[in-house]
Each structure stands twice: as structure tokens, then as C-alpha cells.
Amino acid sequence: MRKITYVFVLFLTLLLTFPNAIISQNKASDSTADIIIYGGTSAAIIAAVEAKKSGKSVIVVSPDIHLGGLTSGGLGWTDTGDKSVIGGLSRDFYHRVYLYYNTKEAWNWQPKEAYGNKGQGTRAMDGESRTMWIFEPHVAELIFEDFVKEYGIQVERDEWLNRQNGVKVENGKIISITTLSGKTYSGKVFLDATYEGDLMAAAGVSYHVGREAGSVYNEEWNGVQTGVLHHKHWFLSDISPYVVPGDSTSGVLPRISTVSPGNKHDGDDKIQAYCFRTCMTNHEANRVPFPKPENYDPLQYELLARSLATGRDDFFEKFDGIPNYKTDTNNHGPLSSDNIGMNYDYPEASYDRRKEIIKEHEDYQQGFYWFVANDPRVPKDIQMEMQKWGLAKDEFTDNGNWPHQIYVREARRMIGQFIMTENELLKKRPTPNPVGMGSYTMDSHNTQRYIKADGFVQNEGDIGVNTKGPYAISYGALVPKKEECTNLLVPVCVSSSHIAFGSMRMEPVFMILGQSSAVAAVLAIDNNVTVQDVDYEMLKNALEEKGQVLKK
């Protein structure tokens, strides 16, 4: 009895003497900031930088360990469009890339003068604007880490939102989010900067997955696009889809749908294909041979063999050069790194199911490279060239030199206060309250592979439509409907149609929208208003002062 009394008295004494210490231990898993950002993408880090520059406390809650999303995950051949409309902190990122590659240490494998300075529609290194648009993955990640250190940003890594009951909402406001590890983060304004839109969905905000019918927003390029062949990502010749060519009783080859693709302009729940943007090299001192997946099956690539047998010779067209004898290698051709039709349930899948989908994509793509480098059915000239290539030894060193981020080209898209469509991008209608600009082609990769009425195989969904110059992006596309949530901004899974998102989904634009979202969040906090009620003139003036480009 005396021992129990002594322990109680000791605890009471400690509580009175060090109350904050006792409370802090009990609340060790709780954190509070003005702005909570969920995601580790380029948009997330840029938004956090803006929040700190504006004098607000911010916490980045990142399910990722590596920061920067696709920008540091292999997409170094930047989809710039019209670079003159890339402003603010987005441009600052590319300025920092420029500064990095102006050091002797940056060119450890390749002399700087040997690099061709070719970019996507622009020079890779632009001395006049002091920007560089093409870079190695590890360089992008280094710059994002420098942002974090320079601005003292708190980043909680490997923290996954509890999507079932981890979002506390009261009276239309998010109060806090809790991760699977049990940590809780409370804030005044929240940003969902993930590619998937998990926080947005868990908060009860409306969204869409798949392609809307063309009639929904009066769009020509939305919905099913059978018969539309814009790029070279389709079968140029008649290829049989059957195991034994021409014999339907022999079974259908893998990765070909046996159901109708739908009528042109029909809506569906299908999404454009994913892949990894692999960083390759043919510089022997830095080359790692392509790995062979344990479950490798050459039948998965029979369609490629049949396509190559017709004389198609553009296999290496998207081995886009980045510094130090490396590439950002993207999908190209009718059967390539795009894993068509194998990602439909990814946007709303559980974390475990997403991991399965990502692993299946990894196995497929690694098997694809192995097939080209080793299968005897591949034409000798292509095979001999492919055998010179491999993964870059000094990239993604903790992941077998394989990208840590799959290219989620599209997942959920918010149905917000304003919906961007092709009509705004093509300037058929004005865009209200601009907070940034885009300019890239409305670009969708293939969505399905099917059997045509004539019995041959074809791909569907690949679209490339020029926007004929830059277009404005509305603030209303970043905020939910007011009746759904009043303190959330969404700079990645923005409110847009499928085909409009096909242009807006570029990494420079995500950084632009990340900064604009953070500026709006600050104004909402300072003026004690909802994100929907932020005064646009105040927002516009603040953005322009920070170098954002709102009109062209």
C-alpha cells in the first residue's frame, strides 16, 4: 500500500513540476501546423517552400521516402510546352538545375561540350534565361532536398494516410489527418498533392475516374477514340491477336481485351496507361545489364515480335538524351513500356493492391527490355543496339537502379468549383480567375488494346491535340465545391476533364499549381475565410509579385 502511495505521489510531483514534458510524451504522435501538405511530389515540396516563404508553419506528410515524384523519378526530359509561361518557384527549380550543371563536378561521365543541348521543343540548357530543362533523376532529388534544408521544412516520410477513418472533418472542414502509423497532423488548411488524390477522396470531395463521354462537357477529344491514330503508338500493319496467327480458336495473346472498346465518344472507367520512365545508359562504366524478371514469359511480347517483323524500325525513338550519357526512356510504338489496360483499378485500389499493380508493371517493363535484348525473334540490328544499353548504375541506387515512382499519368480528378475542359484549353471559352498557365499538347496515352471487326489488333486512346498556345488555369479548378470542403486545395488531381488533364498533368504545371495553392492557403488563413472565398484580386496580385505567369 505504501509503495502504491509513493508511486502516485512521485507521479503527481513530476506532473506538477514538468507538465509540458508529460503532455508532450502523451502527444508525441500529434503535430500541428498552419498548412498540412499530403504527398511527396514536386507540387508538394514547392507548395511547402511557398508556405515557409510566406511565414506559415507547414508539415509535409509524405508516403514517399524520395521527394519530387516523377520529376526525380525518371522524367528528366521535361514536358515544357511554352517555357515562357513557367514562372515562380517552378522556374526557380529549373534555374537551380541550370546552376548545378554549370559546375565541373556535374559532368562526371560526359564532357559538358559533348552534350548536345537538345530539349523537348527548347534548348536543354538555356543560358539566356538561366534555366535547364533536361536533367538526371538524382539531380532533381538533390534540388528538392536542398529546398527542404534551405527552408527548414518538416517532412514526415513513409507516412501513409489512413484512408478508412484517418480524416477528421467537422462542419465541412478538415481538422486533422492520421496516418497508418498512428500519427495525427492538425492544420488550418490542407493540400492534397498526391498523384492519386487519396486525401481528397477520404475527405468526401467529389471526383471522377476514367473518361467522360464527349457529350458531358461538349468535347471532341474525350471518351472512346476508336479510329483516331495521332502518334506512332499503334499497329501500322495488320497484326493477328491470336496465339496462332489467324486462328481464333488458338486463344488470344496476352494483354488484348476481348470485349468491345465502346462507341466513339462513349464514356468509360478506363485510364491511360502507366509505365516507368527508366534512366538508361550505354556508357559501359556506368551500365547495369537489364534484369530478367523471375516470372519472365516471352509470350507477353509476341505482339512486339510480330510488329518488328513487319520492318518497323523506330524502336529507339524515345531514348531521349539527358546529361552524362543517360536517357529518359519513354514509351514508343504499339507495344512498348506502356502497360496498356493493366491499371484500371489503381486509382481507388488499396495500398496492397497498388503495390501489386506496380510490381506487375515493373515485371512487365523489365521483361520487355530483356525480350528485346535477348529474344531471337527480335531483328539483329535492333537487338545488337539494345545490348549496348542498360540501367544507369548511379541512379535509384536503393531500388536496383529502377525508378522509385511509377508514372501515374492519371488517377482521380476532382469535380471542383470549376472544371477545366478542352474548351478552355482551346480558348473556345474564357477561363475565370487564372492562377497559372499550361501549354503542352492535350496528350493521352493508349487506354486499351482490342480486336477490331476485321479480326486484327489495335490500340485505342492515344491522343495528341495542340492547344494552339498557352491557356489559363482557373483557381476554381484547385478547390472543391464549398458545400463539400472549405479548407482543402488540390494542385495535382485538379478539377478537369480527362482530355484537359492530359495537358495539365505536366510536372512544371504541378509545381506552378502547388505554389498558387500555397499562396491561396496563406490568404485564407490571414483573412479567416474559406479557400473558396479567397479574394481573387488579392490572390492575383500576390501571385504576380511572386513571378507567376497568369496571361500571355
Side-chain angles (χ1 to χ4, degrees), residues 55 91 100 118 174 194 270 301 330 373 378 508 523 527 538:
R91 177 164 285 261
Y100 177 87
K118 180 183 178 183
I174 302 174
T194 63
K270 300 178 175 67
Y301 315 100
N330 194 15
V378 175
L523 289 174
N527 294 283
M538 292 179 64

Side-chain angles (χ1 to χ4, degrees), residues 171-198:
N171 299 319
K173 291 180 63 176
I174 302 174
I175 304 301
S176 65
I177 63 172
T178 301
T179 60
L180 293 178
S181 69
K183 295 181 180 179
T184 296
Y185 303 89
S186 303
K188 298 174 183 176
V189 177
F190 291 76
L191 271 66
D192 185 339
T194 63
Y195 292 120
E196 295 84 4
D198 285 341

Side-chain angles (χ1 to χ4, degrees), residues 43-231:
I45 303 307
I46 292 299
V49 170
E50 177 55 49
K52 293 287 282 191
K53 284 169 69 73
S54 296
K56 298 302 180 209
S57 58
V58 62
I59 302 174
V60 175
V61 182
S62 172
D64 309 307
I65 296 173
H66 298 276
L67 303 180
L70 256 297
T71 297
S72 61
L75 207 167
W77 181 261
T78 304
D79 302 308
T80 51
D82 185 337
K83 66 183 181 182
S84 70
V85 300
I86 300 172
L89 288 171
S90 183
R91 177 164 285 261
D92 183 45
F93 171 83
Y94 297 103
H95 172 60
R96 291 175 182 235
V97 175
Y98 173 86
L99 294 178
Y100 177 87
Y101 281 107
N102 265 293
T103 65
K104 183 179 179 181
E105 294 74 22
W107 302 91
N108 57 326
W109 297 115
Q110 180 182 34
K112 181 180 178 181
E113 58 272 15
Y115 179 62
N117 205 26
K118 180 183 178 183
Q120 188 173 176
T122 182
R123 288 173 289 174
M125 180 176 282
D126 189 337
E128 183 179 346
S129 66
R130 293 175 60 78
T131 52
M132 187 163 179
W133 307 96
I134 310 298
F135 46 84
E136 299 160 274
H138 76 272
V139 173
E141 186 172 2
L142 177 67
I143 292 170
F144 286 119
E145 293 291 352
D146 283 346
F147 272 132
V148 168
K149 293 175 185 175
E150 182 177 334
Y151 290 95
I153 298 168
Q154 180 180 346
V155 179
E156 301 283 311
R157 303 176 199 241
D158 199 22
E159 290 293 339
W160 298 77
L161 178 68
N162 182 336
R163 293 158 58 188
Q164 301 305 313
N165 51 23
V167 180
K168 184 178 180 181
V169 179
E170 293 181 359
N171 299 319
K173 291 180 63 176
I174 302 174
I175 304 301
S176 65
I177 63 172
T178 301
T179 60
L180 293 178
S181 69
K183 295 181 180 179
T184 296
Y185 303 89
S186 303
K188 298 174 183 176
V189 177
F190 291 76
L191 271 66
D192 185 339
T194 63
Y195 292 120
E196 295 84 4
D198 285 341
L199 173 56
M200 170 188 74
V205 172
S206 299
Y207 61 86
H208 188 82
V209 175
R211 301 183 287 189
E212 298 92 347
S215 58
V216 173
Y217 302 122
N218 190 28
E219 295 177 294
E220 172 66 21
W221 303 110
N222 209 345
V224 175
Q225 296 289 322
T226 46
V228 177
L229 306 169
H230 278 181
H231 294 112

Side-chain angles (χ1 to χ4, degrees), residues 421-541:
T421 73
E422 71 175 46
N423 297 296
E424 285 71 40
L425 273 61
L426 295 173
K427 279 76 73 179
K428 294 180 179 179
R429 289 198 301 249
T431 300
N433 302 336
V435 290
M437 300 195 80
S439 63
Y440 199 81
T441 298
M442 289 190 290
D443 177 66
S444 173
H445 282 230
N446 277 307
T447 299
Q448 57 185 329
R449 181 176 289 130
Y450 69 102
I451 301 173
K452 297 184 297 176
D454 61 8
F456 296 110
V457 66
Q458 194 50 275
N459 297 334
E460 182 274 324
D462 189 89
I463 299 293
V465 178
N466 196 307
T467 61
K468 299 178 181 178
Y471 56 86
I473 299 172
S474 175
Y475 177 60
L478 306 184
V479 297
K481 298 172 184 176
K482 192 172 183 179
E483 62 268 23
E484 293 184 343
C485 189
T486 60
N487 67 335
L488 174 69
L489 292 120
V490 184
V492 177
C493 294
V494 294
S495 178
S496 62
S497 68
H498 156 73
I499 195 59
F501 190 76
S503 172
M504 296 167 63
R505 65 181 176 84
M506 305 306 158
E507 291 288 302
V509 176
F510 286 155
M511 288 191 264
I512 290 169
L513 299 182
Q515 181 178 12
S516 294
S517 293
V519 173
V522 171
L523 289 174
I525 293 170
D526 287 347
N527 294 283
N528 194 29
V529 296
T530 68
V531 294
Q532 291 84 2
D533 290 332
V534 168
D535 182 85
Y536 177 68
E537 285 303 312
M538 292 179 64
L539 177 59
K540 174 177 178 289
N541 292 337

